[in-house]
């Protein structure tokens, strides 16, 4: 069989790939990579940085390309066949990874070079690569005895399957639920675009009425605008109980198995908890520091959150006689209160944020800051017709990156928004091989009468993911494993979160916020209201975000062996951050994909950690002008281009001239006075 995944390719050859190509390609590429590793181990020459560390970092490139294509498809364009292949190959990839990590001959060569490190005159990037490779072995069992190594392999194989199963269950729950509305009265309050989209969805499924689902573009407007409180409750409970129905899609046992296996793994490697293991390689360093950080922010934010909650409670009682404010009332009355206080309605803003204009806007911001130009092209293969493809050039017309953009929900696509890559940047034999970067989102589609119009929240999401994209596109390192977003997890959100700041600035909005029908620029009083309202309920939002960090640390920073009841344990973890009454029918942990499927275990705090960095970084831009090329060049040189080549705090200090100050975040969030 001719297998396009096993032939040399620059761009992902989507049109030629069939599902049956994947497993044979994985097996062959793993064999080839094993041979490359054997060559390193069997090299008769004494171990050197070049013949061991460098050779190892460039080994298995074909396997990396195949993996990126396959797992990106499993996230953005999956089906039962792909999910089945994922279940089959994930344990094989874990086993392959362990074969390398537990290869004693390879570890001995790395250890020899590591022990000579101070006499080798390595560049900072080479030193980092050596340190990371050595630790990736020692932190993953290279120093264990054979019995423990075997157990480690078993744990990793099981974890890879459990994480996939967790995600599959959440996706299946999301796709399964439908709220069919047949009485027009139940649509009261909903924006015209939401009603039209719900009607189109019902029609596409040959149903009469309006169909509301758990996908964000359907769920969020319903929770925000639907007057029918009972239906909001019904939808809210459906959303909050994904994986919590004691049926074949239930995730409670998956959660308990995952946390216990992670704990056992950490213990095997000599760490008290999974969080201790993870945080050793983070800016935060220890669970104690993370909890200190979360608690410091909670102390500042909770008084404000309680004031805001009381204000919302009072408002809901005055408006509709609501005696007890519930979770399904929050978005609805918050939106009404926001409109009352600021006369700012998301629906009034949406006409100024046509998707194509926002895309053009984020490109213009990147051009003004970094001199980048985005040229849409049609000769790049796509995995779905909706995907847009661009070639990116700098102002000297050098090719920088390929960029894929995939913006709308589909049944085969998981919720949320993310940046990923189909190919990393690296430099080999004097040639700088440029990256292929992708942004994936789930924005409201166009309808038969309206183009895709974004909420302001969706605009900030687009800028956020594009910030990650820039981190990948502007990478300029030697080694692929240190390139782009391959950085400490609590540093990775800095480039994304800092980009969101431009969405609130008049100079940036003027570039793209034009009414889709009239071409009129967004009125400046609306811009002022956006800025004024940016801190609306910031205390509540901060406490909510902190609650997720506390839940993550509760699952991963303690011994979980005696936990029997997922819901009861979660309720206890949320105690210090609770504002709303408890809903026994819902459980967040069973659909908390960030920590149980994605890479955020013991790392959810990093969103807030990165907010401290981004508030401090953007304060520097504001001091010098938000489009200052001088500051942008510093950010590009010391942060965006450097990837994980040096300690992130050192990189940040080189950019900013000092360590970040938490007061910049508290001031921006209006919490300094709290």
């Amino acid at each position: 069989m001719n297998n396009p995944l096993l032939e040399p390719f620059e761009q992902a050859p989507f049109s030629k790939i069939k599902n049956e190509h994947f497993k044979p390609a994985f097996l062959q590429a793993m064999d080839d990579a094993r041979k490359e590793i054997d060559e390193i181990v069997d090299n008769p020459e004494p171990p050197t940085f070049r013949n061991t560390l460098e050779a190892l970092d460039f080994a298995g490139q074909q396997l990396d390309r195949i993996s990126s294509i396959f797992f990106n498809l499993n996230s953005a364009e999956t089906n039962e066949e792909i999910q089945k292949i994922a279940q089959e190959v994930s344990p094989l990839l874990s086993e392959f990874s362990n074969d390398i990590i537990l290869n004693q001959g390879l570890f001995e060569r790395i250890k020899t070079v590591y022990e000579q490190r101070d006499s080798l005159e390595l560049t900072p990037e080479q030193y980092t690569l050596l340190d990371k490779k050595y630790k990736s072995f020692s932190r993953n069992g290279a120093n264990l005895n054979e019995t423990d190594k075997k157990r480690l392999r078993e744990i990793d194989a099981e974890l890879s399957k459990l994480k996939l199963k967790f995600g599959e269950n959440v996706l299946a729950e999301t796709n399964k639920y439908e709220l069919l509305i047949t009485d027009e009265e139940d649509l009261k309050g909903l924006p015209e675009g939401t009603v039209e989209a719900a009607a189109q969805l019902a029609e596409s499924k040959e149903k009469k009425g309006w169909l509301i689902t758990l996908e964000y573009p359907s769920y969020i407007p319903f929770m925000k605008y639907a007057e029918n409180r009972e239906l909001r409750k019904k939808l809210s409970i459906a959303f909050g109980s994904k994986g919590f129905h004691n049926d074949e899609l239930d995730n409670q046992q998956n959660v308990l198995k995952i946390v216990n296996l992670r704990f056992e793994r950490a213990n095997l490697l000599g760490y008290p908890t999974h969080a201790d293991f993870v945080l050793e390689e983070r800016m935060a360093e220890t669970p104690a520091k993370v909890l200190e950080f979360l608690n410091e922010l909670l102390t500042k934010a909770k008084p404000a959150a309680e004031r805001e909650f009381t204000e919302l409670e009072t408002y809901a009682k005055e408006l509709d006689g609501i005696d007890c404010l519930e979770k399904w009332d929050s978005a609805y009355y918050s939106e009404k209160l926001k409109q009352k206080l600021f006369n700012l309605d998301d629906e009034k803003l949406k006409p100024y944020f046509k998707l194509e204009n926002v895309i053009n806007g984020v490109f213009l911001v990147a051009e003004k800051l970094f001199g980048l130009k985005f040229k849409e092209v049609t000769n790049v293969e796509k995995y779905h017709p909706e995907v847009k493809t661009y070639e990116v050039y700098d102002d000297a017309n050098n090719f920088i990156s390929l960029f894929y953009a995939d913006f709308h929900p589909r049944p085969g696509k998981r919720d949320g928004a993310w940046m990923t890559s189909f190919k990393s940047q690296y430099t080999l034999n004097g040639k700088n091989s440029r990256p292929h970067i992708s942004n994936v989102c789930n924005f409201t589609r166009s309808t038969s009468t309206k183009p895709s119009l974004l909420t302001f929240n969706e605009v900030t999401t687009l800028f956020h993911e594009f910030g990650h994209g820039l981190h990948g596109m502007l990478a300029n390192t030697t080694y692929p494993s240190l390139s782009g977003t391959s950085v400490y997890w609590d540093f990775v959100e800095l480039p994304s979160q800092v980009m969101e700041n431009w969405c609130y600035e008049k100079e940036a909005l003027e570039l793209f916020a034009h009414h889709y029908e009239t071409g009129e620029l967004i009125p400046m009083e609306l811009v002022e209201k956006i800025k004024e309202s940016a801190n609306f309920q910031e205390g509540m939002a901060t406490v909510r975000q902190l609650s997720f960090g506390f839940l993550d640390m509760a699952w991963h920073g303690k011994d979980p062996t005696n936990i029997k009841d997922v819901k009861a344990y979660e309720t206890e973890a949320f105690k210090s951050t609770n504002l709303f009454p408890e809903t026994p029918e819902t459980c967040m942990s069973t659909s908390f994909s960030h920590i149980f499927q994605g890479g955020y275990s013991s790392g959810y705090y990093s969103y807030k950690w990165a907010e401290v960095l981004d508030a401090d970084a953007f304060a520097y831009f504001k001091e010098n002008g938000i489009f200052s090329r001088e500051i942008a060049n510093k950010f590009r040189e010391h942060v965006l281009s450097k990837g994980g080549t040096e300690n992130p705090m050192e990189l940040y200090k080189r950019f900013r001239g000092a360590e970040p100050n938490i007061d910049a975040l508290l001031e921006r969030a209006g919490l300094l006075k709290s």
Side-chain angles (χ1 to χ4, degrees), residues 48-59 126 129 478-479:
T48 64
F49 180 85
R50 185 154 194 184
N51 72 20
T52 302
L53 278 304
E54 201 167 281
L56 178 59
D57 208 53
F58 285 107
Q126 289 172 330
L129 184 72
T478 303
Y479 305 110

Side-chain angles (χ1 to χ4, degrees), residues 121-341:
E121 297 184 357
L122 301 173
T123 67
E125 184 177 354
Q126 289 172 330
Y127 194 94
T128 300
L129 184 72
L130 175 56
D131 187 60
K132 284 194 171 180
K133 288 289 184 211
Y134 176 77
K135 282 182 180 165
S136 75
F137 279 73
S138 64
R139 284 168 49 83
N140 285 290
N143 290 317
L144 295 180
N145 63 45
E146 286 310 311
T147 307
D148 288 348
K149 280 182 182 175
K150 181 172 178 289
R151 179 59 191 143
L152 191 76
R153 285 170 180 263
E154 291 166 359
I155 291 172
D156 287 343
E158 201 176 337
L159 275 172
S160 71
K161 280 187 160 183
L162 285 166
K163 283 156 65 178
L164 275 173
K165 184 65 184 151
F166 182 96
E168 284 170 12
N169 287 354
V170 174
L171 181 61
E173 288 271 62
T174 305
N175 288 338
K176 186 172 84 166
Y177 183 84
E178 292 179 346
L179 175 63
L180 182 65
I181 294 174
T182 51
D183 184 350
E184 202 162 348
E185 190 67 15
D186 292 335
L187 301 169
K188 277 181 80 172
L190 290 179
E192 186 189 324
T194 304
V195 173
E196 191 181 350
Q200 273 184 216
L201 184 60
E203 193 183 330
S204 74
K205 299 203 172 187
E206 298 178 353
K207 296 186 177 180
K208 282 195 162 55
W210 299 266
L211 209 52
I212 304 296
T213 71
L214 299 181
E215 287 181 340
Y216 286 144
S218 178
Y219 172 76
I220 288 173
F222 196 91
M223 296 308 297
K224 202 183 264 192
Y225 297 109
E227 291 178 15
N228 187 320
R229 193 183 187 208
E230 273 309 303
L231 286 183
R232 287 202 315 270
K233 177 180 178 179
K234 194 174 178 182
L235 197 66
S236 171
I237 287 173
F239 190 88
S241 60
K242 286 185 280 191
F244 189 57
H245 295 121
N246 291 310
D247 57 8
E248 73 281 358
L249 297 176
D250 193 273
N251 268 335
Q252 292 173 84
Q253 286 308 308
N254 290 331
V255 166
L256 292 176
K257 284 176 188 169
I258 288 169
V259 295
N260 276 286
L261 285 169
R262 284 173 172 167
F263 178 70
E264 185 189 347
R265 190 182 194 283
N267 287 176
L268 263 182
L269 294 166
Y271 296 87
T273 67
H274 178 67
D276 286 278
F277 169 76
V278 169
L279 293 167
E280 186 182 63
E281 291 287 277
R282 300 286 188 265
M283 291 175 83
E285 296 173 337
T286 65
K289 269 196 187 174
V290 170
L291 289 170
E292 184 188 336
F293 170 72
L294 293 174
N295 279 309
E296 182 184 359
L297 278 177
L298 184 62
T299 304
K300 306 278 187 187
K302 198 165 182 185
E306 287 168 341
R307 279 199 307 273
E308 292 160 5
F309 185 77
T310 303
E311 181 185 33
L312 191 63
E313 241 179 347
T314 307
Y315 176 70
K317 190 168 178 62
E318 283 170 6
L319 195 67
D320 289 329
I322 300 293
D323 286 325
C324 178
L325 199 68
E326 301 280 1
K327 287 174 185 171
W328 45 88
D329 298 317
S330 177
Y332 179 74
Y333 289 106
S334 292
E335 183 61 24
K336 284 202 170 323
L337 180 58
K338 188 174 169 185
Q339 286 179 39
K340 181 188 167 194
L341 294 175

Side-chain angles (χ1 to χ4, degrees), residues 347-364:
E347 290 302 306
K348 283 184 197 153
L349 293 174
K350 278 169 73 171
Y352 296 98
F353 297 126
K354 181 181 167 185
L355 174 60
E356 289 74 11
N357 292 350
V358 180
I359 295 167
N360 192 42
V362 82
F363 289 169
L364 283 169

Side-chain angles (χ1 to χ4, degrees), residues 369-440:
L369 288 170
F370 308 112
L372 300 178
K373 290 184 173 57
F374 290 76
K375 177 185 162 195
E376 187 163 9
V377 289
T378 54
N379 59 346
V380 172
E381 293 192 16
K382 311 169 178 190
Y383 56 85
H384 190 279
E386 286 182 338
V387 177
K388 295 173 182 289
T389 48
Y390 302 86
E391 288 176 350
V392 188
Y393 295 90
D394 67 11
D395 41 17
N397 218 29
N398 298 306
F399 176 68
I400 296 296
S401 177
L402 259 188
F403 180 56
Y404 299 81
D406 178 3
F407 289 121
H408 300 297
R410 293 185 296 273
K413 191 177 186 181
R414 68 176 167 89
D415 276 346
W418 62 94
M419 166 268 181
T420 183
S421 77
F422 288 102
K423 176 183 172 296
S424 298
Q425 177 273 335
Y426 56 84
T427 306
L428 184 61
N429 301 326
K431 180 178 183 282
N432 193 325
S433 185
R434 300 308 303 165
H436 300 174
I437 302 300
S438 177
N439 276 175
V440 188

Side-chain angles (χ1 to χ4, degrees), residues 483-495:
S483 179
T485 55
S486 301
V487 299
Y488 278 1
W489 210 262
D490 44 9
F491 192 60
V492 79
E493 294 296 331
L494 166 60

Side-chain angles (χ1 to χ4, degrees), residues 608-626:
K608 275 291 164 203
W609 185 277
E611 273 188 51
V612 172
L613 297 175
D614 99 67
D616 188 64
F618 194 67
Y620 193 28
F621 272 99
K622 289 197 81 166
E623 286 161 22
N624 294 275
I626 67 161

